[in-house]
Amino acid sequence: MSNFIPLSVPNLSGNELEYVTNAVKTEWVSTGGDLINKLEENLANYLHAEQVCALQSGTAGLHLAMKLSGVEPNTEVIVPTLTFAAAVNPVKYCYAEPIFMDCDDSLCIDAQKVQQFLEEECDFDGEKVTNKTTKRQIKAIVVVHVFGNIGNLELLCQLAQKYKLKLIEDSTEALGTYFLDSGKFAGTIGDFGVYSFNGNKIITTGGGGALTAKNIDDVKHAKHLSTQAKADAVYFVHDEIGYNYRMTNLQAALGVAQLEQLEKFVEIKKKNYELYLENGLNLLGFSNKIRTNHWFYSLITDKRDELIKYMTENKIQTRPIWKLIHTLKPYEGSQTYKIEKALEYYEKVVNIPCSTNLTEEDVLRVIKTIKDFK
């Protein structure tokens, strides 16, 4: 009987147990401890960023990025519809409203349509941009670097600068991806960059995330807000509304060990992706301008649901791409703009196993099972 092949699971083959055991033995297991600082320092060094704030989730990072971008009630944020809900829900946490955009062939937000929307559907007075339809001010753009690709940052940065908008890079799926010409990593180019260390990501802390920013004061402010905005920890003085968003030392212990293996994981992801391609699978490509982390592999098929069912029957986990956010109940009535390609990709994408602990035998079994599908 063949073993079950999961979609994407952690690879804990490094120093994880040693570092976690040390945290337990020293009794530093909560939101204080040297390993939190070490993870922040090591990640900042890896990204060539000035500073990083470790958090309990990527969602927490997105929420803080929006707060620090001035997203507030009666404002709006331009977001993709083809993404995970966590990229959009923080807009609602801020009591603001999303404007949903289409994707391009990278599956990332269509920057050209963002440009068209800002030029044709908005007014700009030199200081703020206002949606003609809703009369609300737009504060930010969220670009999600889907599956390890990078969105059109060149155009998005130009638009953010021209219209005085904050650009938030949701790099939760793109840790390790960088531009070949500049060497700049996903998440370090816009005003804010957010990473996720969820269990299915390329490295994991079980649950966790991180935030970095172009302005180091924003990172410091994020750290302050993430620890309940303590101005004086001894006398419990809080000078803002804060959040319980800090990472624990136990999580950081995993993260330090995982980060040590990140480049090895990227190489494994690349090797398995190329093995799928060499055997004729119709996978979505990645930009030739980047060194991608190859986080997820997207098979294109006209028989999405039938294939998923067949793979499940053969003990291989696959999944469809996310249901488009603008079609979900919480976002009924939200504004959309020229959504076309996202509808097509939603019907055709199946994600196939991509764990870094897949063996070549596993990959070949996945390939054979897909080819046997009629």
Side-chain angles (χ1 to χ4, degrees):
M1 183 69 71
S2 298
N3 292 327
F4 173 71
I5 300 178
L7 178 67
S8 181
V9 293
N11 183 337
L12 305 176
S13 58
N15 293 314
E16 291 83 3
L17 185 59
E18 177 187 345
Y19 297 165
V20 169
T21 300
N22 180 65
V24 171
K25 285 182 175 178
T26 59
E27 299 181 345
W28 287 98
V29 297
S30 190
T31 53
D34 289 343
L35 288 168
I36 299 171
N37 296 331
K38 185 173 183 180
L39 177 60
E40 290 176 335
E41 292 169 5
N42 290 358
L43 185 57
N45 288 336
Y46 177 83
L47 295 169
H48 309 301
E50 196 167 358
Q51 193 168 348
V52 167
C53 174
L55 299 162
Q56 287 195 353
S57 66
T59 310
L62 289 164
H63 184 203
L64 292 177
M66 290 183 195
K67 293 285 290 184
L68 295 171
S69 296
V71 179
E72 58 190 6
N74 207 37
T75 64
E76 295 179 337
V77 179
I78 295 172
V79 300
T81 187
L82 186 68
T83 185
F84 182 52
V88 179
N89 286 343
V91 177
K92 289 288 192 177
Y93 300 169
C94 298
Y95 299 96
E97 293 297 327
I99 304 165
F100 287 102
M101 289 286 154
D102 201 10
C103 70
D104 60 21
D105 289 322
S106 72
L107 301 184
C108 304
I109 194 169
D110 189 326
Q112 292 185 340
K113 286 185 177 178
V114 173
Q115 182 176 25
Q116 291 171 12
F117 178 80
L118 290 168
E119 290 176 348
E120 300 171 9
E121 305 297 330
C122 298
D123 292 317
F124 181 59
D125 64 5
E127 291 297 326
K128 63 181 181 180
V129 59
T130 304
N131 186 332
K132 290 179 181 178
T133 300
T134 64
K135 309 302 180 187
R136 289 191 284 252
Q137 182 181 356
I138 301 172
K139 288 283 193 172
I141 302 168
V142 175
V143 52
V144 181
H145 300 316
V146 177
F147 298 156
N149 247 321
I150 293 187
N152 186 350
L153 286 180
E154 182 178 4
L155 179 53
L156 290 170
C157 285
Q158 291 172 7
L159 295 172
Q161 183 175 17
K162 177 179 179 179
Y163 291 100
K164 298 191 175 179
L165 300 171
K166 295 295 186 181
L167 181 59
I168 300 170
E169 291 185 71
D170 181 334
S171 303
T172 53
E173 303 171 10
L175 178 63
T177 297
Y178 60 79
F179 282 101
L180 293 171
D181 58 354
S182 67
K184 290 185 177 179
F185 282 87
T188 68
I189 299 162
D191 294 286
F192 295 92
V194 177
Y195 304 93
S196 171
F197 309 131
N198 191 34
N200 66 344
K201 296 300 190 291
I202 192 163
I203 68 170
T204 186
T205 57
L211 174 146
T212 190
K214 186 180 295 182
N215 185 337
I216 192 171
D217 288 337
D218 285 329
V219 184
K220 292 177 180 177
H221 196 178
K223 283 191 176 187
H224 181 61
L225 291 174
S226 73
T227 53
Q228 299 288 15
K230 293 177 185 175
D232 187 325
V234 175
Y235 288 94
F236 300 101
V237 177
H238 305 263
D239 57 3
E240 296 181 77
I241 299 297
Y243 306 91
N244 182 20
Y245 280 172
R246 284 292 275 158
M247 180 179 282
T248 68
N249 206 48
L250 277 178
Q251 290 173 309
L254 281 177
V256 170
Q258 287 275 286
L259 189 57
E260 292 172 350
Q261 303 178 85
L262 176 54
E263 284 300 309
K264 180 182 79 173
F265 291 163
V266 171
E267 283 301 311
I268 294 170
K269 291 269 191 182
K270 178 175 182 287
K271 181 188 71 174
N272 288 338
Y273 175 80
E274 290 175 347
L275 185 56
Y276 279 129
L277 287 183
E278 289 164 6
N279 283 272
L281 293 197
N282 183 24
L283 298 186
L284 201 65
F286 294 89
S287 169
N288 60 12
K289 296 180 180 180
I290 64 174
R291 194 294 294 265
T292 175
N293 69 358
H294 289 95
W295 178 58
F296 254 36
Y297 312 145
S298 300
L299 181 73
I300 306 300
T301 175
D302 290 325
K303 296 182 178 181
R304 181 194 67 178
D305 296 339
E306 296 95 326
L307 178 59
I308 292 172
K309 182 175 182 292
Y310 181 78
M311 299 298 280
T312 301
E313 290 169 351
N314 284 274
K315 296 186 178 180
I316 298 173
Q317 185 180 20
T318 59
R319 74 168 203 191
I321 206 166
W322 314 280
K323 186 169 173 58
L324 302 182
I325 306 300
H326 79 277
T327 68
L328 300 178
K329 184 175 180 180
Y331 295 99
E332 290 175 356
S334 294
Q335 187 173 4
T336 62
Y337 184 74
K338 296 185 179 181
I339 294 175
E340 297 158 336
K341 280 191 176 179
L343 297 169
E344 297 174 14
Y345 280 115
Y346 169 67
E347 296 288 346
K348 294 184 176 182
V349 170
V350 174
N351 293 127
I352 62 176
C354 59
S355 303
T356 55
N357 47 25
L358 282 177
T359 65
E360 183 173 335
E361 181 182 2
D362 291 332
V363 174
L364 293 174
R365 182 178 144 211
V366 173
I367 293 166
K368 183 180 185 305
T369 306
I370 292 171
K371 289 186 172 182
D372 287 345
F373 170 69
K374 305 298 183 183

